[in-house]
Structures are given as C-alpha cells and as structure tokens.
Amino acid sequence: MDVENVEEQVNLQQKKKHKGKHDKPKPWDEDPNIDRWKIEKFDPSWNPDGLLEVSSFSTIFPRYREKYLQECWPKVKSALKEYGIAAELNLVEGSMTVSTTRKTRDPYIIIKARDLIKLLSRSVPAPQAIKMLDDEMQCDIIKIGNLVRNKERFVKRRQRLVGPNSSTLKALEILTGCYILVQGNTVAAMGSFKGLKQVRRIVEDCMENKMHPVYHIKILMMKKELEKDPALKNENWDRFLPKFKKKNVQTKKVKSKEKKPYTPFPPPQQPSKIDLELESGEYFLSEKKKLAKKWQEKQEKQAQKTTENKRKREEAFVPPKVLFLKPIQAHTETHTSIPSIYLFIFNNILYLLQEHVNQDSNKSQNDEEDVTALAVSLKQKAKEFGKKKASQNINAEEYIAAPATEEKPSKKKKKSKHT
C-alpha cells in the first residue's frame, strides 16, 4: 500500500512540474464573443518609432507588360505611398522595386507590396493587384509548368481548367471567393486562406489528371448547401458528398520486339554512298550525266504518279454492270391474247440488245446496224402475228423463230365476160 501511495505522489508532482504559471486559464479563453480568427487592422500607434532597417524587394517583368506598367504606375505608386512604401519602375533593366522608408509603420506591409509587384508581373490588372494591400487579402502563385512534360497535354489540361468561354474559371471564382488568372506556366490566385487552399488543390488535381474541375465544382456546390443547415454544422459531410472513381482507359498494348540472339561480334559495316556509286558506276560519270540521270528518274516517277492519279479519277466514270433480263416464254394456248404477245416480243428485244452490248462494247457500226435490223424484223413479225385471227392455233415462239418469208399477195383472177 505504501509503495502505491508513493507512486501516486510522484505522478502528481510530475504533473505539477509540467504545468507552469503561464498554463493557468485566462479569463478570455472561454469568452464566446471573441473571434480568434479575425485579423485586426493595423494601428500606426502600435509602432510609432518606425523600422530600424530598410527592407526592399524587386522583381523582373516581361517586355510585353512594359507599356501597361508605364500607364498604371502612378496609381500603384500613390497606393503604396499611403502605407509609407517607396516604389520604383526601372525600364532599362525591366524590373520593379519596393522598399520601406522612415514613414513605414506596419512591418508586414513590405511583404504585401512584394506580392503586389509579383502579381503585376504575372499579368494581373493593376486595380485588382492593389487590393493585395488589404489585411484580409492573400495571394498564391501556383507553378504548373513542371507538372506535365508533354506540351500538347499541358495546353489541353490548362484549357480544361479555363473551360469554354471561361465558364469553369468563373464558377471556381464564385464558389471559392478568389480571383484566379491562368497565365503561361503559372496560376495566380487572390483571396482568403481557405479559398486559396481550395484553388491550389483544384489546379493541381486538374494538371495531374486526378480529377476534372467540374467534379470539384459539384463538391463545392454541395458544401455550400450543407453550410446553410445548422444541424449538420458539427457532423461529417463525407456521406453527402459524391465520390468519383477514375475510370481506367484501355491503352494500346506495345508490341514487344523479338530479342535477337547475342553475338560478341559487331554487325558488318554498311556500304557508304561512295561505295554504292562505285558499284553502279555512277562515281565515274560526269556531273552533267549525273544530273541527266536524276532528271530521268524524276520524270519516270512523275509519269507513274500521273497515271495513278488518272486511273483514280477515271474510276468515277466507269459504267455500272448491265443486268440481264431473262426472256419471258409465251403461253402456248389456243386463244392467245395480243397484248401478252407484244410484251413477250418486247422483252426478247431488250434481252438480245443487252446481251449484244455486254458481249462486246467496242463493236463497229456494222454490228449496230445488224441489231437494228433484227429489232425491225421482230417488230414486223409482231405486226403480222397481230393480223392473224385469234382462232388460229399458233405458237408464238415458233412463229418468231421461223425465217422471214416474203409472201406475195395473191392476185384474184378476173372473170371474163362473154358477150
């Protein structure tokens, strides 16, 4: 029992030693009316004597910003003069410099002035950059140039961050409460610490292809809605937020090359251009003959190319294949109707003409006359067949196939009148 009491006393003494006089509870620790995150505005009475040493910062700017900086520099200079900061624009070196003076009271304002000239060199407009001098405004310059190696991929992802007609960038500015400017290899952002943290995460996820900015916008919109509900103030919001899974896109499989068997001997030396000319005999030709040979080869290549192009052009003018029509067999009935016979004859004519065209398209004019003569004879037979009486038993195929015989009209005998 005594041992246990001694251990408890030692533990109590150690605890008492750990707690010092500064660890005592203060009366303002539990005051609900105090906002510990509020940044109070600087009062010059806090530092009436000013600064002991001169601090200065300078930054260079690109040449295309020179004209704009010359125009807006008087406004920037007057804004910095209110806080006791001296500003200098050097057009020869292409640099901007800010430094403290005897009138400077706020020791942190020189850091704000340094950020201001950084933003001006990053193509941020002067009215927007001057807001950097406020205590509640902070800035962050995110470097994105080293996040992607491929130039085309880098431009594509940077454009994804801006969106069509800058719609994605505007949505991010509204939801985060920050001013965002995408310029070259950097993204400049101005706003509160909370908003800047969100912007940095969105930009890095976009450039590293982890998550599209649109999904971040959806999450931020849901968080804005959840903030309005006081019941969910102290609860975890993960169950309400959407979870986006990255889909693995199937990439092309790289064909592995077959490994050749290892040999310690080097490969045979390839013949040089001069060796090839010596073998073919071109080396001993004069310059004039060499040029003539080159010209001849060029002409041959051109001729091959022209014939190929001509063939491709003429492919569009090749006539289509003619379809064959099978001849329709006439009905061998006793009473054959005249229209059906005409249809049979007409189909046979078409069949013969098509067969004749497909057999030889380059026939002479005499062959064409034979076809026309054949068509005329068939028409004559059709007319003669129509004149026959329907009561007669006539086979149409046999009638047409029979050779044309010229039938002379029979002369009637004149009766002699005997007086």
Side-chain angles (χ1 to χ4, degrees):
M1 290 293 289
D2 294 334
V3 176
E4 289 177 2
N5 290 331
V6 171
E7 286 178 357
E8 286 177 7
Q9 286 176 2
V10 169
N11 290 332
L12 288 169
Q13 284 176 1
Q14 285 178 353
K15 284 180 182 178
K16 283 178 183 179
K17 282 180 182 178
H18 187 68
K19 187 176 182 181
K21 62 179 180 180
H22 300 292
D23 295 334
K24 290 178 183 179
K26 310 295 187 299
W28 56 80
D29 284 346
E30 296 177 1
D31 191 355
N33 298 322
I34 297 171
D35 186 8
R36 293 172 183 80
W37 293 101
K38 186 181 178 182
I39 301 168
E40 294 182 8
K41 193 173 181 180
F42 181 79
D43 190 1
S45 62
W46 297 348
N47 186 18
D49 298 328
L51 304 173
L52 296 171
E53 294 289 337
V54 176
S55 301
S56 64
F57 293 98
S58 64
T59 183
I60 57 172
F61 57 87
R63 188 173 288 178
Y64 63 85
R65 292 286 291 170
E66 186 176 325
K67 190 178 178 182
Y68 178 76
L69 289 171
Q70 272 183 301
E71 292 173 0
C72 70
W73 194 250
K75 293 179 183 178
V76 176
K77 202 171 182 179
S78 62
L80 290 167
K81 195 175 181 181
E82 293 177 9
Y83 296 92
I85 298 292
E88 184 188 351
L89 178 67
N90 192 341
L91 297 173
V92 177
E93 294 178 359
S95 64
M96 293 178 283
T97 309
V98 288
S99 58
T100 56
T101 60
R102 289 180 181 180
K103 294 180 181 179
T104 309
R105 295 291 176 266
D106 187 359
Y108 192 71
I109 198 68
I110 188 65
I111 305 298
K112 292 274 189 179
R114 179 201 66 181
D115 293 340
L116 179 125
I117 59 173
K118 267 188 183 180
L119 292 169
L120 284 171
S121 65
R122 300 277 177 184
S123 299
V124 176
Q128 182 67 33
I130 289 166
K131 292 178 185 178
M132 193 61 220
L133 298 172
D134 297 338
D135 289 333
E136 294 178 358
M137 188 66 71
Q138 309 298 328
C139 80
D140 188 11
I141 294 167
I142 307 156
K143 294 181 180 180
I144 57 173
N146 57 353
L147 295 176
V148 185
R149 288 185 178 182
N150 192 355
K151 184 73 176 175
E152 291 177 3
R153 203 172 292 166
F154 169 75
V155 172
K156 198 174 181 181
R157 289 180 190 175
R158 188 179 62 183
Q159 185 59 33
R160 191 185 297 169
L161 188 64
V162 177
N165 298 324
S166 302
S167 57
T168 309
L169 204 65
K170 286 173 187 174
L172 289 171
E173 284 180 353
I174 292 163
L175 291 167
T176 57
C178 296
Y179 171 81
I180 306 166
L181 179 73
V182 181
Q183 176 73 18
N185 292 333
T186 57
V187 177
M190 291 173 64
S192 61
F193 284 116
K194 185 182 175 183
L196 292 174
K197 190 179 178 182
Q198 290 173 342
V199 170
R200 179 171 275 276
R201 187 184 172 192
I202 291 163
V203 170
E204 286 178 354
D205 284 358
C206 177
M207 296 308 294
E208 290 173 0
N209 204 26
K210 287 182 180 178
M211 190 183 285
H212 200 280
V214 173
Y215 298 141
H216 277 293
I217 288 166
K218 286 183 180 180
I219 291 165
L220 289 170
M221 286 171 74
M222 293 191 78
K223 282 182 179 178
K224 286 273 183 187
E225 292 295 322
L226 291 166
E227 281 174 4
K228 295 175 184 177
D229 193 355
L232 300 169
K233 189 177 181 180
N234 299 321
E235 288 188 19
N236 191 5
W237 293 347
D238 288 343
R239 56 199 173 102
F240 301 109
L241 298 175
K243 292 177 182 178
F244 302 104
K245 290 182 180 179
K246 189 177 177 182
K247 293 179 181 178
N248 291 325
V249 182
Q250 289 183 356
T251 55
K252 291 181 180 178
K253 292 181 180 178
V254 181
K255 292 181 179 179
S256 59
K257 294 180 180 179
E258 293 181 1
K259 288 184 178 180
K260 294 179 180 179
Y262 173 74
T263 54
F265 306 105
Q269 189 177 359
Q270 296 296 323
S272 64
K273 192 175 179 181
I274 296 166
D275 294 335
L276 294 170
E277 286 179 355
L278 285 166
E279 285 179 10
S280 61
E282 290 179 21
Y283 185 79
F284 304 102
L285 295 173
S286 62
E287 287 292 326
K288 194 174 181 181
K289 288 183 178 180
K290 284 180 182 178
L291 290 169
K293 191 175 182 181
K294 280 184 182 179
W295 183 81
Q296 185 69 24
E297 288 174 357
K298 192 177 179 181
Q299 290 295 321
E300 287 175 1
K301 283 182 182 178
Q302 283 181 356
Q304 287 177 1
K305 197 74 178 174
T306 50
T307 51
E308 184 68 22
N309 292 336
K310 190 177 179 182
R311 187 185 62 77
K312 286 179 181 178
R313 283 197 301 272
E314 287 176 354
E315 278 180 1
F317 302 102
V318 175
K321 290 182 180 179
V322 183
L323 297 171
F324 289 102
L325 290 171
K326 291 182 180 180
I328 300 170
Q329 292 182 356
H331 297 288
T332 56
E333 293 180 359
T334 54
H335 300 286
T336 310
S337 61
I338 293 168
S340 65
I341 291 160
Y342 279 122
L343 184 66
F344 165 75
I345 293 162
F346 181 70
N347 274 286
N348 274 285
I349 292 163
L350 280 176
Y351 176 74
L352 289 167
L353 287 169
Q354 288 173 358
E355 192 176 11
H356 178 74
V357 169
N358 287 332
Q359 279 176 0
D360 189 10
S361 59
N362 297 324
K363 283 192 176 182
S364 61
Q365 192 176 358
N366 296 329
D367 294 339
E368 290 178 4
E369 288 175 2
D370 293 342
V371 175
T372 51
L374 182 64
V376 169
S377 65
L378 285 168
K379 282 182 183 178
Q380 284 179 357
K381 284 190 178 184
K383 283 181 183 178
E384 290 173 8
F385 187 80
K387 288 176 183 178
K388 299 285 183 181
K389 290 181 180 181
S391 60
Q392 292 178 0
N393 187 6
I394 299 167
N395 190 352
E397 289 182 4
E398 291 176 2
Y399 183 80
I400 290 165
T405 55
E406 292 182 0
E407 292 182 1
K408 293 180 181 178
S410 58
K411 292 181 181 179
K412 292 182 181 181
K413 290 179 181 180
K414 291 181 181 180
K415 292 182 181 181
S416 59
K417 291 181 180 181
H418 297 284
T419 53

